[in-house]
Protein backbone atom coordinates (compact mmCIF):
# COMPACT_ATOMS: atom_id res chain seq x y z
CA UNK A 1 0.00 0.00 0.00
CA UNK A 2 1.43 3.36 -1.04
CA UNK A 3 0.69 6.64 0.58
CA UNK A 4 -0.53 9.49 -1.57
CA UNK A 5 2.00 12.24 -2.23
CA UNK A 6 1.93 15.03 0.31
CA UNK A 7 1.03 18.36 -1.21
CA UNK A 8 3.27 21.21 0.04
CA UNK A 9 1.51 24.00 1.89
CA UNK A 10 0.52 26.98 -0.23
CA UNK A 11 2.96 29.86 -0.37
CA UNK A 12 2.11 32.94 1.65
CA UNK A 13 2.56 36.04 -0.54
CA UNK A 14 2.35 38.31 2.50
CA UNK A 15 5.39 36.58 3.99
CA UNK A 16 7.37 37.52 0.91
CA UNK A 17 5.98 41.04 1.12
CA UNK A 18 7.23 41.32 4.72
CA UNK A 19 10.71 40.66 3.34
CA UNK A 20 10.32 43.55 0.93
CA UNK A 21 9.10 45.73 3.77
CA UNK A 22 12.05 44.79 5.99
CA UNK A 23 14.47 45.49 3.15
CA UNK A 24 12.94 48.91 2.62
CA UNK A 25 13.28 49.68 6.33
CA UNK A 26 16.95 48.68 6.34
CA UNK A 27 17.64 50.83 3.27
CA UNK A 28 15.97 53.69 5.08
CA UNK A 29 18.15 53.12 8.15
CA UNK A 30 21.25 53.30 5.95
CA UNK A 31 20.08 56.53 4.28
CA UNK A 32 19.22 58.16 7.62
CA UNK A 33 22.60 57.13 9.05
CA UNK A 34 24.38 58.54 5.99
CA UNK A 35 22.48 61.81 6.41
CA UNK A 36 23.98 62.34 9.86
CA UNK A 37 27.39 63.60 8.62
CA UNK A 38 25.60 65.95 6.22
CA UNK A 39 23.53 67.30 9.07
CA UNK A 40 26.65 67.74 11.21
CA UNK A 41 28.54 69.65 8.49
CA UNK A 42 25.87 71.68 6.73
CA UNK A 43 23.20 72.02 9.36
CA UNK A 44 25.38 73.80 11.88
CA UNK A 45 26.02 70.70 13.94
CA UNK A 46 23.94 68.58 16.24
CA UNK A 47 22.26 69.64 19.39
CA UNK A 48 21.65 66.97 22.01
CA UNK A 49 17.95 66.87 21.20
CA UNK A 50 18.56 66.61 17.44
CA UNK A 51 21.08 63.80 17.94
CA UNK A 52 18.69 61.96 20.24
CA UNK A 53 15.88 62.35 17.69
CA UNK A 54 18.01 60.97 14.85
CA UNK A 55 19.25 58.08 16.99
CA UNK A 56 15.71 57.27 18.18
CA UNK A 57 14.47 57.18 14.58
CA UNK A 58 17.27 54.83 13.55
CA UNK A 59 16.57 52.52 16.48
CA UNK A 60 12.83 52.70 15.81
CA UNK A 61 13.28 51.75 12.15
CA UNK A 62 15.48 48.79 13.06
CA UNK A 63 13.08 47.64 15.79
CA UNK A 64 10.17 47.84 13.37
CA UNK A 65 11.81 45.13 11.25
CA UNK A 66 11.23 42.67 14.08
CA UNK A 67 7.58 43.67 14.41
CA UNK A 68 6.45 43.35 10.79
CA UNK A 69 4.43 40.19 11.43
CA UNK A 70 1.92 42.20 13.47
CA UNK A 71 -0.99 43.97 11.77
CA UNK A 72 -0.30 47.19 13.66
CA UNK A 73 3.24 47.48 12.26
CA UNK A 74 1.71 49.48 9.38
CA UNK A 75 0.71 52.18 11.86
CA UNK A 76 4.13 52.08 13.51
CA UNK A 77 5.78 52.76 10.15
CA UNK A 78 3.35 55.59 9.45
CA UNK A 79 3.99 57.06 12.92
CA UNK A 80 7.76 56.96 12.46
CA UNK A 81 7.41 58.80 9.18
CA UNK A 82 5.14 61.43 10.66
CA UNK A 83 7.82 62.08 13.29
CA UNK A 84 10.54 62.09 10.63
CA UNK A 85 8.72 64.58 8.42
CA UNK A 86 7.85 66.71 11.46
CA UNK A 87 11.56 66.82 12.34
CA UNK A 88 11.98 69.09 9.31
CA UNK A 89 12.05 72.04 11.70
CA UNK A 90 14.88 70.61 13.83
CA UNK A 91 16.84 68.75 11.13
CA UNK A 92 15.99 69.80 7.59
CA UNK A 93 17.95 66.98 5.95
CA UNK A 94 16.18 64.37 8.08
CA UNK A 95 12.82 65.88 7.23
CA UNK A 96 13.68 65.74 3.52
CA UNK A 97 14.63 62.07 3.84
CA UNK A 98 11.32 61.55 5.62
CA UNK A 99 9.37 63.11 2.74
CA UNK A 100 11.17 60.98 0.14
CA UNK A 101 10.67 57.76 2.08
CA UNK A 102 7.05 58.64 2.83
CA UNK A 103 6.50 58.60 -0.93
CA UNK A 104 8.30 55.24 -1.15
CA UNK A 105 6.11 53.84 1.65
CA UNK A 106 2.96 55.14 -0.04
CA UNK A 107 3.95 53.07 -3.08
CA UNK A 108 4.79 50.01 -0.95
CA UNK A 109 1.49 50.17 0.92
CA UNK A 110 -0.42 50.64 -2.34
CA UNK A 111 1.25 47.46 -3.67
CA UNK A 112 0.36 45.65 -0.43
CA UNK A 113 -3.28 46.69 -0.77
CA UNK A 114 -3.32 45.49 -4.38
CA UNK A 115 -1.77 42.16 -3.34
CA UNK A 116 -4.37 41.66 -0.59
CA UNK A 117 -7.16 42.50 -3.04
CA UNK A 118 -5.89 40.00 -5.60
CA UNK A 119 -5.47 37.36 -2.87
CA UNK A 120 -9.09 37.87 -1.80
CA UNK A 121 -10.25 37.50 -5.41
CA UNK A 122 -8.10 34.38 -5.94
CA UNK A 123 -6.21 35.91 -8.88
CA UNK A 124 -2.64 35.17 -7.76
CA UNK A 125 -0.68 32.62 -9.82
CA UNK A 126 -0.06 30.55 -6.66
CA UNK A 127 -3.81 30.28 -6.14
CA UNK A 128 -4.51 28.88 -9.60
CA UNK A 129 -5.23 25.17 -9.67
Amino acid sequence: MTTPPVKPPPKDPMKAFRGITAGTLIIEVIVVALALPVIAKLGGGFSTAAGALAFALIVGLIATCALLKHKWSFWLIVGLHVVMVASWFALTALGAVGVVFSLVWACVFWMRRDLAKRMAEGRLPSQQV
Side-chain angles (χ1 to χ4, degrees):
M1 183 153 109
T2 62
T3 59
V6 177
K7 186 176 180 183
K11 293 182 180 178
D12 181 14
M14 284 301 180
K15 185 175 180 182
F17 198 80
R18 284 192 299 269
I20 293 169
T21 306
T24 305
L25 282 168
I26 294 301
I27 289 171
E28 188 170 2
V29 167
I30 292 169
V31 170
V32 170
L34 288 174
L36 296 180
V38 173
I39 294 168
K41 280 283 191 197
L42 301 178
F46 273 115
S47 66
T48 303
L53 173 65
F55 182 71
L57 284 170
I58 290 173
V59 170
L61 291 168
I62 293 171
T64 304
C65 288
L67 302 171
L68 289 175
K69 62 183 171 187
H70 302 288
K71 298 242 183 229
W72 48 265
S73 65
F74 164 81
W75 295 108
L76 181 60
I77 291 170
V78 170
L80 285 170
H81 284 86
V82 167
V83 170
M84 193 178 297
V85 171
S87 73
W88 187 288
F89 302 107
L91 302 167
T92 306
L94 195 57
V97 169
V99 168
V100 170
F101 272 99
S102 292
L103 295 173
V104 169
W105 281 107
C107 181
V108 168
F109 288 138
W110 176 80
M111 288 187 289
R112 181 178 185 267
R113 192 195 82 200
D114 184 56
L115 177 65
K117 178 181 159 189
R118 292 189 323 155
M119 279 176 61
E121 294 171 353
R123 294 188 303 139
L124 293 178
S126 63
Q127 294 174 321
Q128 305 303 315
V129 180

